[in-house]
Structure formats: C-alpha cells, structure tokens
Amino acid sequence: MRTLLVTGTGGAGRTTLAAATALADARRGARVLLLTTESGAPETVLGTPLGAAAPTEIAPRLHARRIDSADRFRQEFLAFQERAGAALDMFGAAPLDEDELTELPGSEAFALLHALRAAHASGDWDTVVVDMPPAAETIRQLALPAQVRRYLRRLLPPERQAARALRPVLAQLAGVPMPAQKLYEAAERWEHELAAVQRVIDAPGTAVRLVTEAGPVAAANLCTLRAGLALYGRRVDAVLVNRLLPTGSADPFLAALSGSQQTALKALRDEFPEVPVHEVPHLGRDPRGVDELDALLDGPAVGAAPAADAAPADAAPRPPLPDTDPWTVEDRRATDGVLLWRVPLPGADREGLGLVRRGDEIVVTVGRFRRIRTLPSALRRCTVSGAGLRDGVLDIRFTPDPGLWPKDH
C-alpha cells in the first residue's frame, strides 16, 4: 500500500491537490481512499458531501472520508474514564457525561492517525492519500507516536510487571488502594495502537508530498520545513508548485507576477535537486468537482499544459525505497579514531542547529523542531567529541571511551 501525506505552506491549495492526487491514482486503476479532517473545503473541491462514519464514493475506485475528530475524542475519553473508574473514585472525581464533553486541542491529530492506521489494517485500498494540516503542524503530528510511546515507557516502564504483583501488598502497607489494573491495560492498548501507527508512518511506501505557491516567502518557508521533515526521517516524493500563471503575457502586471513566480520556481528546483518539482497551472478559478480536478491535472485551463508525463499531481507507482534508517553509523576508528553518526538534514543551517547528549539519548534541534533518539549500542560506549554540518548532513563524532569499549574491538 502507498500512503501519500499531502501538506505544504498555509493557503497553497493542499486540499485541492490532495484530491487531485487521489483522483489521478484512481484514474490509473488503483483503489484510493482520501482522508481529511477538514469540513467544507473538501466537499466543495470534490463536489460531493462527505460522510464521517464510512467513506463516500466520489468516482470509480475513489472514495473519501471526513474524519470526525470530536466524535473520536468523546469515544476515547469515555472509554478511558470507564477503565480508570477505580482510580477516579479514589480521588473523589465525578465522571463526565457524553453530552458535556468538548473536543480538546490536539485530539484532531490522534483521530487522523487512528484513521490512517485503520485504513491500512482494512486492506481495502491500494493508495491512501491524506489531506494533512500545514507542514509545520504535520511534522509535529507525525512525531507524536514516537514521542508518546517514549513518555509511556518512562512513566510506565517494563519493570511495572513486577510492580503489579506487589500492588496488593503495597496497598495493604499504604492503607490506600493502588491504581486499577485497567489503567495499565489502557497504557498497553495505547502502546499497541501507537506502534501500529508508527509502522505505517515509517513504511517504505509512505511519503510526503509538499504543496507550495511560487513566491519568495513560501519558498524560504519550504526550505525550513524540509529540514524538519528530514530530522524525523520523512521522505519527500514531490513538490507541487500551485497556481502558476502563464509566461509571455502582454500585460505588464501579469508578466511581472509570472516572472516572480518563475524565479521562485527555479529556486525551488535548486533546493530540491533530487525531488521532482511539478508545475500546476492556475485555472483562473478554484476547481470544483471531479471534472475540474481532471482539468487541473490534464488540461490547459490557462496557458500551456504541462507534458503528460509531468502531470502536477502525478501519482504513478514508484518502486518502494528500502526500509532503512537514514541515520547511519560510519566506522572511522582506523583513520580518525572516531565513529560518525551521519544525520541527513537537507535545508538545515548552523544557526538553528542544537545538539545535546542525555545519557543514552541524543537531542537534535533544527529550528523549531526537536527529536530525541536513543543511541545505537556502539555509540553508548563513546563520548561525543564534536559535530559538523556540511552539504546537508550533520556528522556527529563519537570517540570510544577506553573504560567502556571492549578490549577486543
């Protein structure tokens, strides 16, 4: 299964191009599901009301579903409240009724990730296209499963299995009841769910598709966002440059706008040399319905159409990449006496880069984004002796600690 996570700069038209991408794959014979948490805009683009309970058929082999994050939040909260009933009773808490629950900020992210995992588990689709939020939010959202799993392991470590057996004794000694078994079962259920979501996000068939307009500000923002995606190992499979005006206009105003767009387009191609950058023409209107989405992909609504093999939302299957960790360890003990942990960070700059080691973990900061990684076993027996960023790759140097490094190595 392929998963395309369509995101980009705010207002660039990612919902429209997510729908166009899904339609293009369906036209080629794939069974496609389009997922969105937005209300209003997707229905307008697709020309069909979307249901939340089940996918709605949009065109042959194309279905779409609007995720009801508020309903998902209520279901999860009530289930947790039931499992934690004994602990809540201990604190004298009054349970909340369903009709007084209001969705909390952040619940939309978990609802979308749950829907993505469920779509994969169903086996009903060849391609899942997800209309993601703006790119900065998407990066944080895709990092959620790993971050929450880390918190769970710290708060409820594996050693809790032994603690369970001692709970009756501890309760008797303390004179108060210990947390209910259902709390631990809930944590295990969350761990299982988050691990399944993580497998989908990390799968070789999952990629990010970036949508942007051709302007200097949008192009600069995209470079920063690219570094954030690289920090978490997210693969960008294409950049869609939306609403391009035709070149060669006799109108000085339109000619100036088009020239500015072409300058930004060239900068984007230079920034993403290894990624296809597709041009999406301005239709002169906002696309509405399947027919106009087809025109967006294939027809010259304004100016010359792109070549057929360079369709802006081209979703033709590509061979999957190997399922490998992009952070690689290079052994240079023989020449330099160090091990290198190589971290690809295209788009990053030195000013926004931070690096801290905490025990067996390393904390890497790129601008507003931060990732914590557990050190590979070999690097845990080393000290950090330096780091450098060159050609979009952060090299972290580790020197073996003589007191910890095996003598036969």
Side-chain angles (χ1 to χ4, degrees):
M1 182 183 292
R2 298 175 69 235
T3 302
L4 290 175
L5 309 172
V6 181
T7 184
T9 53
R14 64 184 184 281
T15 295
T16 298
L17 293 190
T21 295
L23 179 62
D25 231 25
R27 295 293 195 220
R28 294 182 178 92
R31 300 168 300 163
V32 184
L33 174 65
L34 173 65
L35 293 175
T36 182
T37 57
E38 299 287 338
S39 59
E43 285 90 346
T44 300
V45 169
L46 295 168
T48 305
L50 299 183
T56 302
E57 185 174 6
I58 305 299
R61 296 178 297 279
L62 173 61
H63 289 72
R65 181 191 162 206
R66 179 178 58 81
I67 300 164
D68 188 344
S69 57
D71 181 65
R72 170 71 181 169
F73 170 77
R74 286 190 293 270
Q75 293 177 15
E76 284 294 302
F77 186 91
L78 291 172
F80 170 76
Q81 186 172 251
E82 181 182 354
R83 292 185 180 93
L88 295 175
D89 289 343
M90 182 177 70
F91 294 109
L96 296 171
D97 295 327
E98 182 177 358
D99 58 5
E100 63 180 315
L101 290 177
T102 303
E103 181 184 7
L104 294 177
S107 58
E108 184 178 281
F110 288 100
L112 190 150
L113 293 173
H114 170 77
L116 177 59
R117 185 203 64 78
H120 271 255
S122 72
D124 295 335
W125 316 103
D126 302 311
T127 302
V128 177
V129 179
V130 187
D131 175 21
M132 300 292 291
E137 187 178 341
T138 290
I139 294 170
R140 288 189 285 267
Q141 192 164 315
L142 296 177
L144 267 180
Q147 290 173 342
V148 176
R149 292 177 70 196
R150 180 175 179 271
Y151 297 156
L152 286 174
R153 287 192 294 268
R154 290 289 295 271
L155 296 173
L156 294 171
E159 300 83 66
R160 68 184 183 274
Q161 297 291 340
R164 289 182 188 180
L166 295 174
R167 260 201 305 279
V169 177
L170 295 175
Q172 191 173 26
L173 291 174
V176 295
M178 299 301 288
Q181 176 75 16
K182 289 187 177 181
L183 278 177
Y184 292 91
E185 293 173 353
E188 288 182 354
R189 185 174 66 88
W190 292 337
E191 164 67 25
H192 177 78
E193 171 85 5
L194 291 167
V197 173
Q198 191 70 53
R199 286 193 292 272
V200 173
I201 293 173
D202 292 340
T206 298
V208 174
R209 187 160 291 187
L210 291 173
V211 178
T212 184
E213 290 189 298
V217 175
N221 287 341
L222 213 61
C223 295
T224 303
L225 296 169
R226 182 192 187 197
L229 288 166
L231 176 65
Y232 289 99
R234 305 280 76 89
R235 181 172 65 90
V236 177
D237 84 323
V239 176
L240 310 182
V241 187
N242 200 16
R243 304 187 185 113
L244 284 173
L245 296 171
T247 58
S249 173
D251 186 307
F253 178 75
L254 291 179
L257 285 178
S258 175
S260 176
Q261 287 186 335
Q262 291 301 313
T263 300
L265 182 62
K266 181 180 183 304
L268 284 169
R269 293 191 190 281
D270 292 341
E271 178 65 28
F272 293 85
E274 76 289 354
V275 175
V277 177
H278 297 298
E279 303 178 29
V280 184
H282 201 306
L283 296 184
R285 62 188 183 279
D286 292 330
R288 294 191 175 191
V290 170
D291 291 341
E292 294 198 1
L293 287 176
D294 274 332
L296 179 69
L297 294 174
D298 303 320
V302 178
D309 62 350
D314 186 0
R318 292 189 176 97
L321 296 180
D323 190 8
T324 57
D325 186 350
W327 294 34
T328 58
V329 178
E330 186 176 321
D331 190 347
R332 291 192 181 177
R333 286 175 296 159
T335 56
D336 303 322
V338 298
L339 296 169
L340 280 185
W341 205 6
R342 312 206 73 197
V343 182
L345 293 177
D349 59 66
R350 289 181 175 84
E351 291 183 1
L353 202 59
L355 188 65
V356 176
R357 178 174 180 175
R358 295 178 66 258
D360 288 342
E361 295 178 326
I362 198 92
V363 183
V364 182
T365 302
V366 178
R368 67 186 111 167
F369 306 109
R370 174 176 295 174
R371 187 180 185 187
I372 301 175
R373 285 287 306 262
T374 301
L375 294 172
S377 58
L379 301 185
R380 295 176 201 173
R381 302 190 296 271
C382 302
T383 57
V384 177
S385 52
L389 180 68
R390 176 179 292 182
D391 298 329
V393 178
L394 173 65
D395 288 332
I396 310 173
R397 296 186 294 277
F398 289 81
T399 301
D401 185 336
L404 299 175
W405 198 262
K407 301 300 182 184
D408 57 345
H409 277 234

